[in-house]
Amino acid sequence: MKTYSLLALSVLVFWSCNNNAEQSTETKAQFTVQNTLDMARKDASVAIAFQQIINKFPQLKVNQLKFVADGKDVPFQTIDTNNDDAPDQYLLVMDLKAGEEKSIQLEESTTTPTFKKRTQAELSHKVGGTWKDRKYEGGDFKNVDFLAVPPEHTDHSYFIRYEGPGWESDLIGYRFYLDWRNATDIFGKKTRDMVLQQVGLDGFDSYHEPADWGMDVLKVGKSLGIGALGAWMGDKALRVETTDSITCEVAEDGALESMIRTNYFEWEVGDQSTNLTSELSIQAGSRLTRHDVALTESLPNLCTGIVKHENGSLLRHENGTWGYIATWGQQSLAEDHLGMAVLYKKADLQKVTEDEFSHVVVLTPNNNELTYYFMAAWEQEPGGIHTEEAFRQYLDQVIMELGTPVTVKF
């Protein structure tokens, strides 16, 4: 389901043809990436399909490559975009100066380079205990790649560690409640290291208290939290509450990108129902979670949004093909500054509205699919954002990058 054509981090690929076969075989295995914006892009990502490399450089072993720029290895990760357990894409991450065009060499390698882990996804639940009514007693937490959510499970069952799956970058972390609430929460981080593996191990909600790594910084309540999916019912957002069953998996747990994939079967929306696939992904150096949604039946009024807090001022801006709604203020559980935003394609927007609990964006799926982003910025992050104006500037740059992809030339 996931493609990179919608990302700021995605690429426009231009193929140059050489009619001289002899010159073609002598062509170096290289391509260039260019930042066409007049501002620097940190941790810009570039997606290159295996097939593109095969078509241009058939002499190369596509699964034994590394990438070199300025004499140094470029961090990369292989991605399985088709969910068939066969990687078919390279994801590269690099810094680009304003207007910079950078040459990337492809080299065969007998060993796969390793890079610092800058993203993580995990799902952990208890094993070895027993269900009593709708609470899980005893047992120990075990990380798993896949979970069919038990019918006994509900909120505060003490079965799933920190109540759902988690995903993080080196900047921030998120989780959602894998139960009838299905709202997204935020883990603010005071370190660039991966931290989810140490959160909630006591089986309780101690992560609401300040720790060396950070803390849960958002009060979600009955709202959409930050960026949770819902359906707009005319005057309120309906979260993904009533379903027949749910499965959840860690689809990626990589150095540069991680993803949680969740399948909701027979989501009830009024007098309709549909199966829903949700993919939540995050990349290194980014605060953004990308949410890719696919439905089996048409729902014209999907929505997402941001929890309302008394101290959060509402911001809104559109530029080019993207726009956002955001809030900023002393609205974290640490009683300090927290910024939150939902970023959407202008072509998908029906309206910006609200209900009792959330600021809401109503969006139209295209062929039963929808992609949007959400993000948060906590002022206690290393090098964090501290003012509303700085938060606005950051968001304006993000939507400009979303609308102006890095270009790639072979």
Side-chain angles (χ1 to χ4, degrees), residues 9 42-47 73-77 90-96 118 255-257 283-285:
L9 318 172
K42 182 172 176 57
D43 291 316
S45 69
V46 178
D73 286 348
V74 178
F76 72 87
Q77 178 181 333
Y90 282 108
L91 174 67
L92 286 64
V93 171
M94 66 193 75
D95 295 341
L96 294 170
R118 301 178 62 193
L256 303 182
E257 180 177 270
Q283 294 186 343

Side-chain angles (χ1 to χ4, degrees), residues 27-44:
T27 300
K28 290 183 178 180
Q30 64 181 19
F31 58 91
T32 61
V33 298
Q34 184 176 14
N35 173 21
T36 60
L37 294 176
D38 61 357
M39 58 187 182
R41 301 170 82 137
K42 182 172 176 57
D43 291 316

Side-chain angles (χ1 to χ4, degrees), residues 286-305:
S286 177
R287 296 181 176 90
L288 274 66
T289 287
R290 170 172 167 150
H291 197 180
D292 289 290
V293 174
L295 307 170
T296 58
E297 304 295 333
S298 177
L299 291 178
N301 298 325
L302 292 180
C303 68
T304 185

Side-chain angles (χ1 to χ4, degrees), residues 75 86 95 112 145 148 159 168 203 241 244 248 254 292 310 318 341 394:
D95 295 341
T112 302
D145 293 329
F159 173 64
E168 67 178 316
E241 294 182 356
D244 176 72
C248 187
D292 289 290
E310 181 179 352
E318 292 181 345
Y394 169 77

Side-chain angles (χ1 to χ4, degrees), residues 24-25 29 50-62 108:
S24 177
T25 59
F50 281 17
Q51 194 60 51
Q52 293 172 341
I53 299 173
I54 292 169
N55 291 344
K56 187 64 178 176
F57 308 111
Q59 74 277 17
L60 294 179
K61 296 178 181 178
V62 71
E108 290 188 357

